[in-house]
Amino acid sequence: MAYDDAAAENRKRYAIIGVSSMLLVAMVVAVTVGVNLNQDGTSDPATGKKAHEISSSMKAIKAICRPTDYKRECVDSLKGSGKSDPKELVQVGFKAAMKLIQAAAKKSLTLRQIEKDPRASQALAGCKELMDFSVDELKFSIQKLGAFDISKLDEMLIDIKIWLSAVITYQETCLDGFANSTGDASEKMKKALKISMRLSSNGLAMVTELSSMLTELQIPGINRRLLSIPVLGHEDYPEWAGPGMQRLLAGSPAKRKPNIVVAKDGSGQYKTIQEAINKVPKRKNNATFVIHIKQGVYKEYVVIGKKLTHLMLIGDGPKKTIISGNKNFVDGTTTFKTATVAVSAEHFMARDIGFENTAGPHKHQAVALRVQADKVVFFNCEMHGYQDTLYVHTMRQFYRDCTISGTIDFVFGDAAAVFQNCSFLVRKPLPNQQNIVTAHGRKERRQPSALIIQNSKFKPDADLVPVKKQFRSYLGRPWKEYSRTIIMESYIDDIIEPEGWLPWEGDWGLRTCFYTEFNNYGPGSGKSKRVKWRGIKSITAQHAVDFTPGRFILGDRWIKATGIPYVSGMTKPNAGVAN
């Protein structure tokens, strides 16, 4: 027995050494950690063996680049450094990725100065902003993970997956902004981003490989179940949703004591929402800052920047407090910039507010709400528009008791977004148009993102009801190659066509997407006539649990404490088999 214990302890020690080593060499573009892998002494400068040092360096580089899809770019970014110490190699790789992204941002500014096409010029401005977001995510990774802790390795890897996924999405969004623009700015930016996008992909591949390795090693103290689920998130759970916030959520408007009150009639400190947001002070802790927005229609464009973490907006009801805009693609604004409200601050929360874009169906893409922030919650909110109403851009998002309306791709983006007990209202489109509820934008197979719709309803809006037989409506279509959408425990009205899903163009993404329906009900939920693409999947009850908010986005760690209604797992655990 003692021998077995000693052997097990040795296996554990060697496994941890191996895991630490893999971690150091894997995160080329995301993090640096303070563990030294160099246990054979071959890179000791005291040896003076230059050739041996080079050989050792290349051996380490090849090990780093092994699981990547773009091995040549990986090797090229590291070779010539003369380094064989893994920590130093990681630093070299990180700097290479940062340099390329910053160069792309600078390129966008240079091109904008000479660009004559207004649409392309606007796209270039968007690229600069998106590259800044990318750099921020990588810098945040360095800051958070600089102090390496093997006991938190699983959570660390989950964090990195979402940060790198966001970096990939931001670069892809930059290129998407050139749709219908003239000139060669699009090709020049594509060229400028080519290597940085590949290095971002490589970094995600490395972290995914490490997660798989940890799952197989069965190391005590490492949460294998956590690593094996395609989740994401921050380990640093703050006390941002304490008793005080829960009282705010539960209390009536008259009893709430927010930090700032906004009122159109002048009864608050400010008359506009953006003015109030601009006055939010810098805080030294994670205490939630609450802004109460009294009833009224606020015709303004609201930007909640990345630095305004732990901010909460409370309205008087989604039909009483409404933020309204009408920017749109037809009038010359890129989709990314059409948003009436844009949220980039993590730990953001909104309740009892309506968000709308009134541009109408003839103006094509017109976003009411764009969200690219981690750990955000929307409770009892409404988002209304037509095409591209809700842009769930990146990171973790949770929507509870919300109503979203639109026509074409009216819930789209590459976030890991869960909708629980929400209503999706399909509106009347233009003649000869068809309705599509979702369009997920997962570009890479390793990205830990998906649209998950649970215990919700797909129904026609009032304007569609009288003419619903004149228009065809679908659950979704694959915007990007690895689009992933899961609909479960939900009511599907007969407005949804028997085929269920619609191709984007030809056979694009039909083999690589991941679409599944589980335990749905209603006249439109039957699956016997659904499309037979390779990407249409059937899942077991056990697999369905992996897509619940408690598991997929680790919701128990940050949603539960807000006090809003929330179900961690399946909402109908005793329901029968799927349709």
Side-chain angles (χ1 to χ4, degrees):
M1 190 68 173
Y3 175 81
D4 289 342
D5 290 344
E9 186 63 30
N10 283 335
R11 285 196 299 271
K12 175 182 175 182
R13 183 173 67 253
Y14 294 144
I16 291 176
I17 292 172
V19 170
S20 302
S21 302
M22 258 306 268
L23 177 66
L24 281 165
V25 301
M27 300 168 190
V28 175
V29 297
V31 297
T32 58
V33 291
V35 178
N36 189 349
L37 259 188
N38 231 352
Q39 299 186 15
D40 58 5
T42 55
S43 63
D44 186 351
T47 63
K49 296 179 180 179
K50 187 68 174 179
H52 191 66
E53 290 174 3
I54 294 172
S55 175
S56 178
S57 176
M58 285 306 301
K59 191 177 295 185
I61 289 169
K62 288 180 180 179
I64 289 172
C65 298
R66 183 186 61 79
T68 65
D69 292 339
Y70 305 101
K71 293 181 176 60
R72 186 180 69 180
E73 287 81 1
C74 182
V75 171
D76 287 348
S77 68
L78 300 176
K79 72 179 182 182
S81 65
K83 308 292 186 181
S84 57
D85 180 282
K87 179 180 178 181
E88 293 177 350
L89 276 176
V90 170
Q91 290 171 330
V92 170
F94 176 79
K95 291 175 183 177
M98 288 281 290
K99 185 177 180 180
L100 286 168
I101 292 173
Q102 290 168 336
K106 188 177 292 185
K107 182 74 171 178
S108 69
L109 289 175
T110 302
L111 289 173
R112 194 182 182 200
Q113 292 174 357
I114 60 174
E115 182 56 58
K116 296 180 180 179
D117 176 25
R119 195 178 291 279
S121 179
Q122 198 174 107
L124 288 165
C127 284
K128 174 61 171 65
E129 184 178 348
L130 289 158
M131 293 309 99
D132 290 342
F133 284 136
S134 297
V135 171
D136 285 345
E137 291 306 323
L138 295 173
K139 286 182 177 179
F140 188 60
S141 299
I142 290 291
Q143 178 185 349
K144 298 290 286 186
L145 303 175
F148 175 68
D149 184 349
I150 188 66
S151 68
K152 296 181 179 179
L153 184 56
D154 46 2
E155 290 143 345
M156 196 180 295
L157 293 173
I158 291 166
D159 289 345
I160 295 166
K161 285 182 184 180
I162 189 53
W163 296 328
L164 287 179
S165 181
V167 170
I168 291 169
T169 301
Y170 292 146
Q171 294 174 86
E172 182 74 3
T173 303
C174 162
L175 300 180
D176 287 340
F178 293 97
N180 292 0
S181 65
T182 61
D184 59 356
S186 175
E187 288 303 315
K188 288 180 178 178
M189 282 307 300
K190 189 179 294 184
K191 183 178 180 180
L193 288 171
K194 180 180 178 181
I195 304 302
S196 64
M197 291 181 78
R198 290 185 173 186
L199 288 182
S200 301
S201 173
N202 285 346
L204 185 58
M206 295 167 189
V207 177
T208 302
E209 176 80 1
L210 179 54
S211 294
S212 298
M213 189 186 76
L214 283 171
T215 302
E216 294 171 2
L217 283 174
Q218 303 185 38
I219 303 170
I222 299 295
N223 191 329
R224 295 174 59 239
R225 185 62 177 166
L226 194 61
L227 283 168
S228 64
I229 298 168
V231 293
L232 41 107
H234 293 288
E235 174 270 330
D236 59 317
Y237 175 63
E239 294 300 327
W240 72 292
M245 182 175 175
Q246 293 182 34
R247 284 194 296 271
L248 279 169
L249 287 168
S252 65
K255 294 181 179 179
R256 294 170 185 160
K257 294 183 179 180
N259 300 95
I260 291 177
V261 175
V262 179
K264 288 179 67 67
D265 61 7
S267 61
Q269 291 102 313
Y270 303 100
K271 291 185 176 181
T272 70
I273 300 167
Q274 191 64 57
E275 186 180 10
I277 288 171
N278 293 343
K279 296 298 182 180
V280 174
K282 293 182 179 179
R283 287 156 289 150
K284 295 181 180 180
N285 55 38
N286 288 340
T288 301
F289 193 91
V290 180
I291 298 177
H292 176 206
I293 308 170
K294 288 188 175 182
Q295 68 179 44
V297 178
Y298 295 81
K299 294 185 178 181
E300 57 177 300
Y301 296 95
V302 177
V303 177
I304 300 169
K306 197 174 184 68
K307 294 181 180 180
L308 295 177
T309 63
H310 307 96
L311 177 67
M312 180 179 180
L313 303 185
I314 300 179
D316 286 340
K319 298 186 186 302
K320 294 180 179 180
T321 298
I322 299 170
I323 310 173
S324 181
N326 63 1
K327 289 183 181 180
N328 60 85
F329 185 81
V330 170
D331 289 345
T333 303
T334 60
T335 303
F336 181 72
K337 285 295 187 179
T338 62
T340 301
V341 176
V343 179
S344 300
E346 67 176 26
H347 300 301
F348 172 82
M349 185 171 180
R351 73 160 293 173
D352 301 330
I353 298 175
F355 305 85
E356 68 178 17
N357 190 311
T358 61
H362 58 292
K363 293 295 187 176
H364 296 182
Q365 296 95 323
V367 177
L369 173 65
R370 186 186 84 231
V371 184
Q372 52 190 68
D374 198 28
K375 286 187 175 180
V376 297
V377 175
F378 289 84
F379 173 53
N380 193 35
C381 290
E382 295 187 7
M383 302 87 181
H384 297 299
Y386 286 87
Q387 184 170 348
D388 292 0
T389 303
L390 175 58
Y391 193 173
V392 289
H393 195 194
T394 58
M395 308 286 190
R396 277 189 304 187
Q397 306 177 22
F398 183 70
Y399 298 80
R400 172 75 193 204
D401 299 351
C402 292
T403 297
I404 307 99
S405 73
T407 54
I408 299 173
D409 306 334
F410 63 90
V411 179
F412 77 111
D414 188 34
V418 178
F419 298 83
Q420 196 173 82
N421 201 39
C422 292
S423 293
F424 298 85
L425 303 182
V426 181
R427 305 181 78 171
K428 180 183 176 181
L430 294 175
N432 301 317
Q433 283 187 338
Q434 49 197 354
N435 295 311
I436 308 101
V437 179
T438 67
H440 194 237
R442 186 168 171 248
K443 179 177 182 285
E444 301 246 351
R445 68 187 186 278
R446 299 182 182 94
Q447 287 182 284
S449 56
L451 294 178
I452 299 170
I453 297 172
Q454 181 188 25
N455 193 35
S456 296
K457 296 176 181 178
F458 293 79
K459 300 173 65 177
D461 200 9
D463 66 348
L464 182 63
V465 171
V467 294
K468 67 179 184 179
K469 292 184 179 179
Q470 299 177 24
F471 300 96
R472 297 169 69 86
S473 300
Y474 299 87
L475 295 171
R477 59 176 178 167
W479 179 29
K480 300 294 180 180
E481 193 170 5
Y482 291 91
S483 175
R484 182 162 58 170
T485 302
I486 296 93
I487 299 172
M488 56 189 185
E489 304 181 300
S490 296
Y491 173 83
I492 302 177
D493 195 88
D494 62 2
I495 55 165
I496 299 300
E497 293 294 316
E499 297 89 344
W501 307 89
L502 184 71
W504 184 271
E505 183 177 4
D507 62 355
W508 163 255
L510 305 189
R511 299 182 184 88
T512 50
C513 67
F514 185 103
Y515 286 159
T516 191
E517 301 170 59
F518 182 80
N519 268 2
N520 298 312
Y521 61 100
S525 65
K527 296 195 291 184
S528 63
K529 296 182 180 179
R530 289 294 195 250
V531 291
K532 306 301 181 184
W533 310 337
R534 183 177 176 184
I536 302 296
K537 308 295 184 182
S538 294
I539 60 173
T540 64
Q542 184 178 9
H543 192 186
V545 173
D546 288 341
F547 295 110
T548 57
R551 204 168 267 183
F552 192 78
I553 56 174
L554 302 183
D556 290 356
R557 303 185 181 191
W558 55 282
I559 301 171
K560 187 178 289 186
T562 65
I564 69 168
Y566 161 71
V567 178
S568 175
M570 303 300 288
T571 61
K572 300 176 178 64
N574 298 320
V577 295
N579 289 324

